[in-house]
PDB file of all heavy atoms in Angstrom:
ATOM      1  N   ALA M   4     118.869 135.996  72.378  1.00  0.00           N
ATOM      2  CA  ALA M   4     119.264 136.940  71.306  1.00  0.00           C
ATOM      3  C   ALA M   4     119.038 138.324  71.880  1.00  0.00           C
ATOM      4  O   ALA M   4     117.968 138.645  72.324  1.00  0.00           O
ATOM      5  CB  ALA M   4     118.476 136.694  70.092  1.00  0.00           C
ATOM      6  N   ILE M   5     120.050 139.112  71.834  1.00  0.00           N
ATOM      7  CA  ILE M   5     120.006 140.546  72.163  1.00  0.00           C
ATOM      8  C   ILE M   5     120.115 141.313  70.843  1.00  0.00           C
ATOM      9  O   ILE M   5     121.151 141.221  70.180  1.00  0.00           O
ATOM     10  CB  ILE M   5     121.124 140.916  73.187  1.00  0.00           C
ATOM     11  CG1 ILE M   5     121.020 140.082  74.423  1.00  0.00           C
ATOM     12  CG2 ILE M   5     121.101 142.433  73.438  1.00  0.00           C
ATOM     13  CD1 ILE M   5     122.214 140.157  75.365  1.00  0.00           C
ATOM     14  N   ILE M   6     119.084 142.024  70.568  1.00  0.00           N
ATOM     15  CA  ILE M   6     119.049 142.862  69.295  1.00  0.00           C
ATOM     16  C   ILE M   6     119.010 144.301  69.652  1.00  0.00           C
ATOM     17  O   ILE M   6     118.045 144.752  70.257  1.00  0.00           O
ATOM     18  CB  ILE M   6     117.855 142.436  68.427  1.00  0.00           C
ATOM     19  CG1 ILE M   6     117.866 140.945  68.170  1.00  0.00           C
ATOM     20  CG2 ILE M   6     117.800 143.201  67.117  1.00  0.00           C
ATOM     21  CD1 ILE M   6     116.560 140.272  68.314  1.00  0.00           C
ATOM     22  N   GLY M   7     120.076 145.036  69.316  1.00  0.00           N
ATOM     23  CA  GLY M   7     120.130 146.435  69.572  1.00  0.00           C
ATOM     24  C   GLY M   7     119.922 147.202  68.291  1.00  0.00           C
ATOM     25  O   GLY M   7     120.462 146.881  67.262  1.00  0.00           O
ATOM     26  N   GLU M   8     119.069 148.226  68.376  1.00  0.00           N
ATOM     27  CA  GLU M   8     118.811 149.106  67.228  1.00  0.00           C
ATOM     28  C   GLU M   8     119.518 150.433  67.425  1.00  0.00           C
ATOM     29  O   GLU M   8     119.268 151.123  68.449  1.00  0.00           O
ATOM     30  CB  GLU M   8     117.341 149.375  67.033  1.00  0.00           C
ATOM     31  CG  GLU M   8     116.564 148.134  66.583  1.00  0.00           C
ATOM     32  CD  GLU M   8     115.108 148.372  66.321  1.00  0.00           C
ATOM     33  OE1 GLU M   8     114.727 149.515  65.998  1.00  0.00           O
ATOM     34  OE2 GLU M   8     114.315 147.446  66.475  1.00  0.00           O
ATOM     35  N   ASP M   9     120.373 150.845  66.499  1.00  0.00           N
ATOM     36  CA  ASP M   9     121.121 152.038  66.669  1.00  0.00           C
ATOM     37  C   ASP M   9     120.232 153.337  66.558  1.00  0.00           C
ATOM     38  O   ASP M   9     119.301 153.337  65.796  1.00  0.00           O
ATOM     39  CB  ASP M   9     122.214 152.187  65.586  1.00  0.00           C
ATOM     40  CG  ASP M   9     123.415 151.330  65.818  1.00  0.00           C
ATOM     41  OD1 ASP M   9     123.314 150.355  66.658  1.00  0.00           O
ATOM     42  OD2 ASP M   9     124.490 151.635  65.271  1.00  0.00           O
ATOM     43  N   ARG M  17     129.274 155.058  68.557  1.00  0.00           N
ATOM     44  CA  ARG M  17     129.643 153.664  68.411  1.00  0.00           C
ATOM     45  C   ARG M  17     131.107 153.491  68.414  1.00  0.00           C
ATOM     46  O   ARG M  17     131.691 152.572  69.052  1.00  0.00           O
ATOM     47  CB  ARG M  17     128.975 153.093  67.144  1.00  0.00           C
ATOM     48  CG  ARG M  17     129.261 151.657  66.923  1.00  0.00           C
ATOM     49  CD  ARG M  17     128.600 151.221  65.591  1.00  0.00           C
ATOM     50  NE  ARG M  17     127.310 150.652  65.731  1.00  0.00           N
ATOM     51  CZ  ARG M  17     127.069 149.384  65.994  1.00  0.00           C
ATOM     52  NH1 ARG M  17     128.050 148.521  66.081  1.00  0.00           N
ATOM     53  NH2 ARG M  17     125.820 148.934  66.063  1.00  0.00           N
ATOM     54  N   ALA M  40     128.183 137.237  67.589  1.00  0.00           N
ATOM     55  CA  ALA M  40     127.953 138.697  67.845  1.00  0.00           C
ATOM     56  C   ALA M  40     128.438 139.478  66.625  1.00  0.00           C
ATOM     57  O   ALA M  40     129.468 139.112  66.024  1.00  0.00           O
ATOM     58  CB  ALA M  40     128.647 139.201  69.046  1.00  0.00           C
ATOM     59  N   GLY M  41     127.702 140.515  66.248  1.00  0.00           N
ATOM     60  CA  GLY M  41     128.100 141.388  65.134  1.00  0.00           C
ATOM     61  C   GLY M  41     127.104 142.450  64.820  1.00  0.00           C
ATOM     62  O   GLY M  41     125.951 142.356  65.262  1.00  0.00           O
ATOM     63  N   PRO M  42     127.542 143.429  64.056  1.00  0.00           N
ATOM     64  CA  PRO M  42     126.614 144.493  63.663  1.00  0.00           C
ATOM     65  C   PRO M  42     125.828 144.260  62.383  1.00  0.00           C
ATOM     66  O   PRO M  42     126.169 143.347  61.656  1.00  0.00           O
ATOM     67  CB  PRO M  42     127.593 145.662  63.451  1.00  0.00           C
ATOM     68  CG  PRO M  42     128.817 144.964  62.872  1.00  0.00           C
ATOM     69  CD  PRO M  42     128.894 143.643  63.598  1.00  0.00           C
ATOM     70  N   PHE M  43     124.788 145.058  62.232  1.00  0.00           N
ATOM     71  CA  PHE M  43     124.015 145.079  61.001  1.00  0.00           C
ATOM     72  C   PHE M  43     124.500 146.300  60.205  1.00  0.00           C
ATOM     73  O   PHE M  43     124.172 147.403  60.483  1.00  0.00           O
ATOM     74  CB  PHE M  43     122.527 145.235  61.288  1.00  0.00           C
ATOM     75  CG  PHE M  43     121.920 144.116  62.097  1.00  0.00           C
ATOM     76  CD1 PHE M  43     121.385 144.415  63.271  1.00  0.00           C
ATOM     77  CD2 PHE M  43     121.971 142.823  61.666  1.00  0.00           C
ATOM     78  CE1 PHE M  43     120.819 143.444  64.114  1.00  0.00           C
ATOM     79  CE2 PHE M  43     121.422 141.772  62.472  1.00  0.00           C
ATOM     80  CZ  PHE M  43     120.790 142.128  63.646  1.00  0.00           C
ATOM     81  N   PRO M  44     125.391 146.071  59.217  1.00  0.00           N
ATOM     82  CA  PRO M  44     125.895 147.197  58.445  1.00  0.00           C
ATOM     83  C   PRO M  44     124.895 147.859  57.485  1.00  0.00           C
ATOM     84  O   PRO M  44     124.008 147.112  56.992  1.00  0.00           O
ATOM     85  CB  PRO M  44     127.070 146.646  57.653  1.00  0.00           C
ATOM     86  CG  PRO M  44     126.775 145.178  57.549  1.00  0.00           C
ATOM     87  CD  PRO M  44     125.921 144.845  58.766  1.00  0.00           C
ATOM     88  N   SER M  45     125.025 149.121  57.281  1.00  0.00           N
ATOM     89  CA  SER M  45     124.174 149.805  56.310  1.00  0.00           C
ATOM     90  C   SER M  45     125.002 150.141  55.077  1.00  0.00           C
ATOM     91  O   SER M  45     126.222 150.108  55.079  1.00  0.00           O
ATOM     92  CB  SER M  45     123.659 151.145  56.877  1.00  0.00           C
ATOM     93  OG  SER M  45     122.866 150.902  58.039  1.00  0.00           O
ATOM     94  N   ASP M  46     124.340 150.435  53.969  1.00  0.00           N
ATOM     95  CA  ASP M  46     125.053 150.686  52.710  1.00  0.00           C
ATOM     96  C   ASP M  46     125.908 151.900  52.757  1.00  0.00           C
ATOM     97  O   ASP M  46     126.892 152.022  52.059  1.00  0.00           O
ATOM     98  CB  ASP M  46     124.012 150.887  51.575  1.00  0.00           C
ATOM     99  CG  ASP M  46     123.320 149.572  51.219  1.00  0.00           C
ATOM    100  OD1 ASP M  46     123.865 148.487  51.469  1.00  0.00           O
ATOM    101  OD2 ASP M  46     122.255 149.632  50.630  1.00  0.00           O
ATOM    102  N   ASP M  47     125.615 152.863  53.647  1.00  0.00           N
ATOM    103  CA  ASP M  47     126.386 154.129  53.732  1.00  0.00           C
ATOM    104  C   ASP M  47     127.583 154.027  54.628  1.00  0.00           C
ATOM    105  O   ASP M  47     128.255 155.035  54.909  1.00  0.00           O
ATOM    106  CB  ASP M  47     125.475 155.251  54.143  1.00  0.00           C
ATOM    107  CG  ASP M  47     124.940 155.098  55.551  1.00  0.00           C
ATOM    108  OD1 ASP M  47     125.249 154.129  56.239  1.00  0.00           O
ATOM    109  OD2 ASP M  47     124.201 155.993  55.996  1.00  0.00           O
ATOM    110  N   GLY M  48     127.934 152.829  55.156  1.00  0.00           N
ATOM    111  CA  GLY M  48     129.072 152.663  56.034  1.00  0.00           C
ATOM    112  C   GLY M  48     128.747 152.786  57.510  1.00  0.00           C
ATOM    113  O   GLY M  48     129.646 152.617  58.351  1.00  0.00           O
ATOM    114  N   SER M  49     127.538 153.138  57.843  1.00  0.00           N
ATOM    115  CA  SER M  49     127.128 153.170  59.241  1.00  0.00           C
ATOM    116  C   SER M  49     126.526 151.840  59.626  1.00  0.00           C
ATOM    117  O   SER M  49     126.756 150.807  58.892  1.00  0.00           O
ATOM    118  CB  SER M  49     126.098 154.306  59.455  1.00  0.00           C
ATOM    119  OG  SER M  49     124.945 154.042  58.729  1.00  0.00           O
ATOM    120  N   PHE M  50     125.821 151.787  60.760  1.00  0.00           N
ATOM    121  CA  PHE M  50     125.221 150.541  61.189  1.00  0.00           C
ATOM    122  C   PHE M  50     123.806 150.785  61.601  1.00  0.00           C
ATOM    123  O   PHE M  50     123.469 151.917  62.102  1.00  0.00           O
ATOM    124  CB  PHE M  50     126.023 149.958  62.374  1.00  0.00           C
ATOM    125  CG  PHE M  50     127.455 149.622  61.962  1.00  0.00           C
ATOM    126  CD1 PHE M  50     128.457 150.513  62.162  1.00  0.00           C
ATOM    127  CD2 PHE M  50     127.767 148.416  61.376  1.00  0.00           C
ATOM    128  CE1 PHE M  50     129.787 150.258  61.776  1.00  0.00           C
ATOM    129  CE2 PHE M  50     129.037 148.096  61.010  1.00  0.00           C
ATOM    130  CZ  PHE M  50     130.081 149.026  61.201  1.00  0.00           C
ATOM    131  N   SER M  51     122.941 149.809  61.518  1.00  0.00           N
ATOM    132  CA  SER M  51     121.562 149.919  61.996  1.00  0.00           C
ATOM    133  C   SER M  51     121.320 149.233  63.281  1.00  0.00           C
ATOM    134  O   SER M  51     120.308 149.403  63.919  1.00  0.00           O
ATOM    135  CB  SER M  51     120.613 149.336  60.927  1.00  0.00           C
ATOM    136  OG  SER M  51     120.796 147.975  60.774  1.00  0.00           O
ATOM    137  N   GLY M  52     122.313 148.480  63.742  1.00  0.00           N
ATOM    138  CA  GLY M  52     122.172 147.789  65.042  1.00  0.00           C
ATOM    139  C   GLY M  52     123.158 146.645  65.135  1.00  0.00           C
ATOM    140  O   GLY M  52     124.099 146.535  64.353  1.00  0.00           O
ATOM    141  N   SER M  53     122.891 145.760  66.133  1.00  0.00           N
ATOM    142  CA  SER M  53     123.819 144.616  66.375  1.00  0.00           C
ATOM    143  C   SER M  53     123.014 143.463  66.914  1.00  0.00           C
ATOM    144  O   SER M  53     121.874 143.657  67.495  1.00  0.00           O
ATOM    145  CB  SER M  53     124.848 144.974  67.423  1.00  0.00           C
ATOM    146  OG  SER M  53     125.703 145.998  66.963  1.00  0.00           O
ATOM    147  N   LEU M  54     123.571 142.272  66.775  1.00  0.00           N
ATOM    148  CA  LEU M  54     122.940 141.068  67.305  1.00  0.00           C
ATOM    149  C   LEU M  54     124.028 140.368  68.121  1.00  0.00           C
ATOM    150  O   LEU M  54     125.204 140.220  67.789  1.00  0.00           O
ATOM    151  CB  LEU M  54     122.607 140.093  66.121  1.00  0.00           C
ATOM    152  CG  LEU M  54     122.240 138.669  66.564  1.00  0.00           C
ATOM    153  CD1 LEU M  54     120.931 138.635  67.276  1.00  0.00           C
ATOM    154  CD2 LEU M  54     122.181 137.767  65.330  1.00  0.00           C
ATOM    155  N   ILE M  55     123.610 139.893  69.325  1.00  0.00           N
ATOM    156  CA  ILE M  55     124.420 139.092  70.210  1.00  0.00           C
ATOM    157  C   ILE M  55     123.542 137.892  70.589  1.00  0.00           C
ATOM    158  O   ILE M  55     122.387 138.010  70.993  1.00  0.00           O
ATOM    159  CB  ILE M  55     124.796 139.856  71.511  1.00  0.00           C
ATOM    160  CG1 ILE M  55     125.624 141.083  71.139  1.00  0.00           C
ATOM    161  CG2 ILE M  55     125.566 138.954  72.439  1.00  0.00           C
ATOM    162  CD1 ILE M  55     125.669 142.137  72.253  1.00  0.00           C
ATOM    163  N   PHE M  80     122.619 152.481  71.110  1.00  0.00           N
ATOM    164  CA  PHE M  80     121.338 151.867  70.900  1.00  0.00           C
ATOM    165  C   PHE M  80     120.203 152.731  71.368  1.00  0.00           C
ATOM    166  O   PHE M  80     120.272 153.174  72.534  1.00  0.00           O
ATOM    167  CB  PHE M  80     121.290 150.443  71.594  1.00  0.00           C
ATOM    168  CG  PHE M  80     122.229 149.394  71.073  1.00  0.00           C
ATOM    169  CD1 PHE M  80     122.641 148.358  71.906  1.00  0.00           C
ATOM    170  CD2 PHE M  80     122.630 149.406  69.764  1.00  0.00           C
ATOM    171  CE1 PHE M  80     123.435 147.387  71.433  1.00  0.00           C
ATOM    172  CE2 PHE M  80     123.499 148.370  69.335  1.00  0.00           C
ATOM    173  CZ  PHE M  80     123.921 147.355  70.187  1.00  0.00           C
TER     174      PHE M  80
END
Side-chain angles (χ1 to χ4, degrees):
I5 300 168
I6 303 137
E8 292 183 25
D9 281 22
R17 179 183 267 272
F43 301 120
S45 298
D46 290 339
D47 65 0
S49 65
F50 299 93
S51 63
S53 297
L54 169 69
I55 299 163
F80 292 156

